[in-house]
Amino acid sequence: MMRGKTVIITGANSGIGRATATELLRMQARVIMACRDWQRAEEAARDMQREAGPDGGQLVVRQLDLASLESVRRFCAEISKEEARVDVLINNAGVYQCPYTKTEDGFEMQFGVNHLGHFLLSVLLLDLLKKSAPSRIIVVSSKLYKGGEINFEDLNSEGRYDRAFAYSRSKLANLLFTVELAKRLEDTGVTVNALTPGIVRTNLGRHVSVPLLARPLLKLASLVFFKSPLEGAQTSVYLACSPDVEGVQGKCFADCREQDLLPKATDEDLAGKLWDISEVMVGLTQ
């Protein structure tokens, strides 16, 4: 049970985030839905509270746009002021293979939202997470990280933009962030671990173009071969509350089991360099 625990979940109004939030509600957690579209989140929250039943926990909706560093800072300031504790932070929200666009601060959208927005969010909430220890940070990555590379000469994809590569790079960045943050959190009582949920039936692929004639076939295939959002959420829920991972630090899980990663996702030098550059990009250091 998660009674008395406060959990922040980004992108909690749909897909894996919504399923994760609903499961934790059933365990009586207090769940803060950190969502870009406040109205859609409010509508989802009413349904989720009903699904969780009368014995469920409490849902709170807060506006957070990960494509705006100002919004991230404002959200963290409000949370730090209003919340006595945060037990779990789940960095779940994501953008997948969108056309080339930039965030409010001028970053390529997938790198800006999937990595930089969550990077700043996590760093700004660290003091509260440490005060709440033992506490947990969970980073939702993807097995598609395997197709990514960190090109420090063109993190903004201004030289060349390939939407699939940009997504893979942002998911590789998630894993490298987990590696470096784990080092920095030693002996604090705060743990950080990542996960790859697998292929899940969500609206994440809305930017992917599918020929009209192929759509019925894809829908049928997704029903047979893809995970449901609830199935996709199981590892997030496991990392949020299972005693099996208490004290486990800097690992990546799939289907509730630790998985091996390619060397480029566990490279400590690369992780440290990405951290330093990310701090500059989000304005934490000059």
Side-chain angles (χ1 to χ4, degrees):
M1 299 298 286
M2 293 286 284
R3 187 186 297 117
K5 305 285 188 182
T6 294
V7 183
I8 296 174
I9 307 177
T10 65
N13 62 298
S14 64
I16 295 172
R18 174 171 173 157
T20 302
T22 304
E23 286 299 284
L24 293 174
L25 267 183
R26 289 192 174 105
M27 298 177 186
Q28 300 186 338
R30 181 171 180 271
V31 178
I32 298 174
M33 299 172 62
C35 302
R36 180 177 57 84
D37 190 322
W38 189 86
Q39 185 172 348
R40 282 180 57 196
E42 278 285 322
E43 292 169 0
R46 287 191 287 272
D47 292 337
M48 293 159 65
Q49 197 80 64
R50 192 161 49 247
E51 290 168 27
D55 296 326
Q58 179 189 5
L59 265 181
V60 179
V61 177
R62 292 286 182 267
Q63 203 276 335
L64 170 65
D65 183 356
L66 289 160
S68 165
L69 297 181
E70 181 183 352
S71 176
V72 175
R73 291 190 178 93
R74 185 166 57 246
F75 173 86
C76 292
E78 290 173 358
I79 292 296
S80 298
K81 180 180 179 181
E82 297 172 5
E83 301 296 330
R85 62 183 300 111
V86 170
D87 300 277
V88 184
L89 169 64
I90 304 180
N91 292 334
N92 165 83
V95 179
Y96 177 70
Q97 292 199 25
C98 60
Y100 188 77
T101 48
K102 290 186 176 180
T103 68
E104 179 181 289
D105 304 279
F107 304 121
E108 185 275 313
M109 186 63 70
Q110 295 186 84
F111 190 74
V113 169
N114 298 350
H115 171 59
L116 291 175
H118 281 123
F119 174 87
L120 181 62
L121 176 72
S122 302
V123 171
L124 293 182
L125 290 178
L126 277 183
D127 285 346
L128 186 53
L129 284 157
K130 289 175 182 176
K131 273 176 51 182
S132 309
S135 53
R136 304 179 183 189
I137 300 172
I138 298 159
V139 180
V140 179
S141 183
S142 166
K143 288 183 179 178
L144 293 176
Y145 83 88
K146 296 173 183 178
E149 300 290 340
I150 305 297
N151 177 7
F152 290 108
E153 302 304 314
D154 191 21
L155 289 176
N156 235 16
S157 298
E158 290 174 337
R160 171 180 173 269
Y161 182 66
D162 178 292
R163 60 176 70 188
F165 172 82
Y167 179 76
S168 294
R169 180 178 59 187
S170 72
K171 296 289 103 178
L172 174 59
N174 290 158
L175 295 173
L176 292 168
F177 165 69
T178 301
V179 168
E180 179 63 20
L181 183 56
K183 285 174 58 179
R184 293 168 180 255
L185 289 177
E186 286 181 11
D187 303 320
T188 63
V190 185
T191 60
V192 58
N193 291 288
L195 68 101
T196 59
I199 305 175
V200 183
R201 291 191 303 274
T202 70
N203 65 354
L204 190 65
R206 61 190 178 276
H207 295 297
V208 178
S209 178
V210 179
L212 191 61
L213 292 176
R215 289 176 190 173
L217 208 57
L218 179 62
K219 185 173 183 180
L220 180 62
S222 72
L223 290 171
V224 175
F225 298 109
F226 293 8
K227 293 179 180 179
S228 69
L230 179 58
E231 290 168 333
Q234 291 309 301
T235 306
S236 294
V237 174
Y238 172 75
L239 291 177
C241 63
S242 175
D244 294 347
V245 290
E246 188 173 335
V248 175
Q249 187 72 282
K251 305 299 183 182
C252 186
F253 290 76
D255 297 319
C256 302
R257 295 190 298 273
E258 188 179 331
Q259 65 172 322
D260 294 326
L261 298 172
L262 296 179
K264 66 180 176 181
T266 57
D267 185 322
E268 293 188 3
D269 291 337
L270 185 60
K273 185 176 180 181
L274 179 62
W275 181 286
D276 292 342
I277 288 176
S278 298
E279 280 191 330
V280 174
M281 293 177 81
V282 302
L284 290 175
T285 57
Q286 297 297 320

